[in-house]
Amino acid sequence: MVHFTAEEKAAITGLWGKVNVEEAGGEALGRLLVVYPWTQRFFDSFGNLSSPSAIMGNPKVKAHGKKVLTSFGDAVKNMDNLKGTFAKLSELHCDKLHVDPENFRLLGNVMVIILASHFGREFTPELQAAWQKLVAGVATALAHKYH
Amino acid sequence: MVLEAADRAAVRALWLKLGSNVGVYTTEALERTFLAFPSTKTYFLHLDLSPGSAQVRAHGQKVADALTLAVDHLDDLPSALSALRELHAHKLRVNPVKFQLLVHCLLVTLARHYPGDFSPSLQASLNKFLSHVISALAPNCH
């Protein structure tokens, strides 16, 4: 189980409060699909994913990205119980969506990169380290119910 | 394993922009790696890893020089990096998975310093370039 210090929790929560979830979600999912093209395999119904600009401008990508990042907000609120928080979503991603959990790690790292680009100087190495713990914890929690 | 023309152009253009500051960013990437992924410190028992360490800065410059060498030899990375492969694979015996952590932190560093330039396609090109570098450093590559 991941353990967060009080400072890490405060730092993570503080930054999260400033994130535009809708924009960042679309950007995160879009970048995942651009940089790791095999992830497009889960989104055949999304229409035009033929180029970076098509992907980043695709309304379904933006909408789904917002959904994913909104869900990530639950992680920020429940850092002490990530496995419990994501149990149902873990089952969904295994049983219905059949997503390789390795892709959760990739998305987590893409999110960290986006935070760095949005927050610049504020995204110190220490803050990044706390966020890496969180995204790793979420990826593990989402993989937890796989069988 | 060859990098496509568009990716090469993007990487070269970025490197021109970074100029003589590549070492600054690779040093920051190392610092981020040690903090975010503490297991990587196990390969640096001989270095002072405290914040602002001159030794980390020196190592950052070595990494920068190696990456610049790679950018200048995109046609034949395995050959250009053969000495570094020998070093990392056979002498230092670094688990190649660790290189990915440094690569990630380098991307984070560049995104932090050049947000306006760090488009999704640049991120993709850089990721491909750095993946090629990692492959060229792995023990089973000749």
Side-chain angles (χ1 to χ4, degrees), chain A:
Chain A
M1 196 180 96
V2 193
H3 180 73
F4 296 89
T5 64
E7 290 80 15
E8 283 169 336
K9 287 184 188 176
I12 288 170
T13 311
L15 197 78
W16 187 250
K18 301 186 220 177
V19 171
N20 178 328
V21 169
E22 177 163 2
E23 254 178 45
E27 195 179 346
L29 186 61
R31 281 179 187 261
L32 182 77
L33 298 173
V34 169
V35 179
Y36 306 105
W38 59 84
T39 57
Q40 294 171 25
R41 71 194 304 277
F42 305 110
F43 301 102
D44 278 336
S45 64
F46 274 28
N48 187 2
L49 299 179
S50 59
S51 68
S53 53
I55 290 171
M56 300 311 288
N58 184 313
K60 285 189 173 175
V61 171
K62 290 185 188 187
H64 195 70
K66 177 182 175 187
K67 200 171 169 185
V68 169
L69 218 68
T70 302
S71 172
F72 200 85
D74 289 339
V76 177
K77 292 196 207 90
N78 294 283
M79 284 185 253
D80 289 329
N81 182 22
L82 294 174
K83 290 204 168 111
T85 303
F86 287 98
K88 281 262 164 322
L89 275 175
S90 180
E91 284 170 12
L92 175 75
H93 282 77
C94 172
D95 298 331
K96 293 257 153 43
L97 304 176
H98 311 292
V99 178
D100 177 354
E102 183 52 40
N103 296 305
F104 305 146
R105 301 198 179 280
L106 293 180
L107 181 60
N109 279 339
V110 169
M111 279 177 58
V112 168
I113 286 173
I114 284 168
L115 292 174
S117 75
H118 286 197
F119 292 101
R121 181 186 308 275
E122 202 179 335
F123 201 65
T124 60
E126 290 77 9
L127 189 48
Q128 180 190 346
W131 272 91
Q132 296 289 171
K133 262 168 100 168
L134 182 61
V135 301
V138 172
T140 301
L142 278 172
H144 187 63
K145 292 290 195 180
Y146 273 60
H147 58 96

Side-chain angles (χ1 to χ4, degrees), chain B residues 7-116:
Chain B
D7 296 319
R8 292 169 182 237
V11 171
R12 283 179 180 136
L14 177 71
W15 235 251
L16 268 176
K17 188 157 192 170
L18 298 180
S20 51
N21 286 328
V22 179
V24 172
Y25 304 124
T26 47
T27 299
E28 181 177 331
L30 279 169
E31 286 167 356
R32 286 180 180 274
T33 306
F34 296 142
L35 262 172
F37 308 108
S39 65
T40 54
K41 295 191 289 186
T42 59
Y43 294 97
F44 294 95
L45 303 174
H46 57 293
L47 288 191
D48 162 23
L49 299 183
S50 52
S53 153
Q55 293 183 331
V56 172
R57 212 162 40 244
H59 195 73
Q61 191 55 53
K62 277 193 207 167
V63 174
D65 293 341
L67 288 177
T68 300
L69 178 75
V71 173
D72 288 338
H73 291 86
L74 294 174
D75 282 326
D76 191 8
L77 286 179
S79 176
L81 299 178
S82 64
L84 283 171
R85 175 173 65 256
E86 189 53 39
L87 176 68
H88 286 79
H90 302 299
K91 187 152 174 273
L92 303 174
R93 287 172 292 187
V94 181
N95 183 328
V97 159
K98 287 333 205 201
F99 300 138
Q100 307 219 5
L101 302 178
L102 177 58
V103 161
H104 168 66
C105 288
L106 183 57
L107 294 177
V108 169
T109 302
L110 293 173
R112 171 257 182 273
H113 287 278
Y114 294 90

